[in-house]
Amino acid sequence: MGGWIMLNLVTHYQQWLAQKIPADVLSPLRSDAMEAFAATGFPTHKTENWRYLRLTGLREQAFEVMPPSYLDEAVLAPLLLADCYHIVCLNGFLMPKYSQLPHGVTLNNLRSQLTDPAIQALIHQSDLSSSLVALNTALFQEGLVIDVKDKLDKPIQCLFLTDDLGAHCTSQQRHVLRLNVDAAAIIIAEHISLTEQVFFTNSVWHIELAERANGTYYQLLTDNAKAIHIDHCLLNQQARSVYHAYGFLNGGALVRTDLQQAFLGEHASCTVKALTLASGQQQVDQHVLVRHCVPQCESKQCFKGLSTNQARLILNAKVIVDQQAQKTAAQQQLQHLLLSPKAEIYSKPELEIYANDVKCAHGATIGQLSDAALFYLKSRGIDDARAVLINAFMQELLDLLKWPDLKARISSLFSVDA
């Protein structure tokens, strides 16, 4: 039965490519990508990097093309952060009316940039051995190309909204973010559901930092409890560039994030920090691969995760130090809390080192709240001792949110009943 369903799903997406994707310069690559997807289908528990996930919701429904829609300004207004530039997308489609950017930043729809050799080169980097990346490569039409040429005075908030018209549909998005030499930008990418129905987002980001560029990227995934969200990011850094990635994941039935970073120039640094709360029967799977290809670069990873009810939280964080990457500094810190007897956490830090002059360390903990700490607080009249300890565990990363209204909104989503 499972094979029959998968065969029909593959046929469904093959027909989508043949009938709904117009021919373009990427048509040969799209055909190769669909062939790669058809050969494997969606991942199963036998797929090593996906073996802890139950993909029933993804494997048993043929999602349709997500349609454009109308955005109610009254709905949008409370979601826009003050003192920010804005990019707004609804059901995967750019809404130019609500997107305002300064001089020094250009914004284009990806469809209009496909003849650009640089854009084509990025898309051809797609790893077609990953079935979800292959599916995106075959079917994407919409996407953003953001080019930053200066140091921006305010962050750019990218709002990705899905409404009721997007129910039982999929958005296959492909985005490009490029920071030129000496440019600096803060990007706040926030995914919000305006519907309670199931939908499937499958996005791929290409992020390129030129020499001495400075980028900070906030990823806020707060989709509804039925949503399926797959996010793949390819990050390349040139010499003396600085990148900070901060993730806050709380929402969706199935969430998978995959960051693949590479140092391509010396004296660059990359910091990745994430806070995740998995609850209900939610599944959250985070994969990070940082590759030190050149000498004298620094990477730091800090992950904090909480799993409650019957949720499943997975983290695989890996650092590879190539033989020529001497004077590398790499740190990993993975901390997780189990808050319920039936909750699950799978945590795997990895260091793969081929150089001999490096400073690398990692540590991982999975535990429960300390009975001694709970007793101590309760004995001093603190009735909500459990909530106090949980909030203290999360606070370090919540403090990375520098905007009061955004911090209040995200903090409320990370509240855990005592």
Side-chain angles (χ1 to χ4, degrees):
M1 176 65 74
W4 179 83
I5 293 174
M6 180 55 66
L7 179 61
N8 278 271
L9 283 176
V10 169
T11 301
H12 170 74
Y13 291 119
Q14 286 174 326
Q15 291 175 346
W16 180 346
L17 174 61
Q19 300 172 7
K20 300 177 182 179
I21 305 296
D24 56 31
V25 295
L26 295 177
S27 291
L29 177 62
R30 292 184 187 275
S31 296
D32 291 343
M34 181 55 70
E35 183 177 334
F37 173 73
T40 60
F42 288 110
T44 70
H45 66 279
K46 295 181 180 180
T47 309
E48 177 63 25
N49 286 337
W50 295 78
R51 64 193 180 102
Y52 293 115
L53 286 181
R54 299 178 292 264
L55 297 174
T56 304
L58 186 60
R59 294 167 56 84
E60 295 185 355
Q61 179 169 346
F63 292 91
E64 299 297 332
V65 181
M66 193 168 285
S69 185
Y70 169 79
L71 184 57
D72 187 341
E73 293 188 15
V75 174
L76 176 63
L79 302 177
L80 295 176
L81 295 177
D83 202 29
C84 286
Y85 302 110
H86 301 106
I87 297 174
V88 179
C89 295
L90 179 60
N91 294 351
F93 293 87
L94 175 66
M95 309 294 285
K97 177 181 178 181
Y98 305 107
S99 301
Q100 300 90 27
L101 294 171
H103 295 293
V105 180
T106 58
L107 172 66
N108 291 287
N109 189 301
L110 181 60
R111 283 179 299 170
S112 68
Q113 303 297 304
L114 293 182
T115 55
D116 182 344
I119 296 294
Q120 293 180 28
L122 287 177
I123 295 174
H124 274 85
Q125 293 177 11
S126 302
D127 180 11
L128 301 187
S129 66
S130 168
S131 61
L132 273 301
V133 174
L135 182 64
N136 176 282
T137 303
L139 300 182
F140 83 86
Q141 285 188 277
E142 298 299 320
L144 308 174
V145 179
I146 306 170
D147 286 296
V148 181
K149 301 176 182 178
D150 296 326
K151 291 181 171 66
L152 301 189
D153 59 333
K154 295 188 295 187
I156 299 175
Q157 181 191 20
C158 297
L159 271 178
F160 297 95
L161 309 175
T162 305
D163 67 6
D164 285 328
L165 286 181
H168 304 285
C169 296
T170 180
S171 177
Q172 305 285 328
Q173 305 173 30
R174 181 73 63 122
H175 306 298
V176 176
L177 170 63
R178 296 183 291 196
L179 273 64
N180 287 6
V181 175
D182 292 320
I186 298 173
I187 307 295
I188 305 171
E190 189 170 6
H191 297 261
I192 299 176
S193 304
L194 304 179
T195 177
E196 295 303 318
Q197 300 299 313
V198 62
F199 62 91
F200 169 34
T201 299
N202 183 28
S203 61
V204 177
W205 280 84
H206 299 273
I207 301 180
E208 301 284 315
L209 270 65
E211 290 187 12
R212 300 183 301 279
N214 192 319
T216 301
Y217 183 86
Y218 289 82
Q219 182 183 49
L220 312 175
L221 298 183
T222 59
D223 288 323
N224 71 49
K226 296 180 181 179
I228 299 171
H229 193 117
I230 311 295
D231 182 88
H232 187 89
C233 178
L234 293 171
L235 166 65
N236 291 323
Q237 290 186 240
Q238 301 297 333
R240 301 186 185 279
S241 61
V242 179
Y243 186 76
H244 294 85
Y246 303 134
F248 298 87
L249 284 66
N250 178 13
L254 170 62
V255 176
R256 162 84 177 216
T257 63
D258 195 336
L259 170 63
Q260 296 186 19
Q261 184 271 1
F263 289 110
L264 304 180
E266 296 184 16
H267 300 286
S269 67
C270 178
T271 300
V272 180
K273 298 184 177 182
L275 176 63
T276 304
L277 173 60
S279 58
Q281 295 184 327
Q282 185 183 18
Q283 300 179 83
V284 181
D285 190 2
Q286 298 166 277
H287 282 245
V288 178
L289 172 60
V290 172
R291 184 146 200 160
H292 289 261
C293 307
V294 296
Q296 307 205 53
C297 292
E298 180 180 21
S299 65
K300 296 180 180 179
Q301 298 175 19
C302 177
F303 291 87
K304 291 193 173 188
L306 306 93
S307 186
T308 186
N309 307 125
Q310 300 178 56
R312 177 175 292 188
L313 176 57
I314 304 122
L315 173 61
N316 186 302
K318 185 174 184 177
V319 175
I320 299 178
V321 182
D322 289 347
Q323 185 173 2
Q324 67 272 21
Q326 305 293 342
K327 305 294 184 182
T328 285
Q331 296 180 5
Q332 287 182 317
Q333 185 179 16
L334 285 56
Q335 300 175 325
H336 293 92
L337 277 179
L338 279 166
L339 301 179
S340 300
K342 294 184 179 181
E344 300 176 38
I345 294 177
Y346 302 88
S347 179
K348 185 180 180 182
E350 294 184 75
L351 288 176
E352 192 172 307
I353 302 171
Y354 299 97
N356 55 21
D357 186 6
V358 301
K359 294 181 180 179
C360 299
H362 65 185
T365 60
I366 300 176
Q368 298 173 317
L369 294 175
S370 166
D371 290 337
L374 289 169
F375 176 79
Y376 178 85
L377 293 176
K378 290 180 179 179
S379 68
R380 279 151 181 79
I382 302 177
D383 295 331
D384 56 347
R386 188 171 184 268
V388 168
L389 291 177
I390 292 171
N391 290 331
F393 176 79
M394 298 189 293
Q395 199 60 48
E396 174 189 356
L397 296 187
L398 288 173
D399 285 342
L400 295 171
L401 297 167
K402 305 300 183 183
W403 303 269
D405 46 352
L406 180 62
K407 183 175 182 179
R409 187 161 79 224
I410 297 302
S411 296
S412 66
L413 295 174
F414 278 87
S415 62
V416 178
D417 294 335

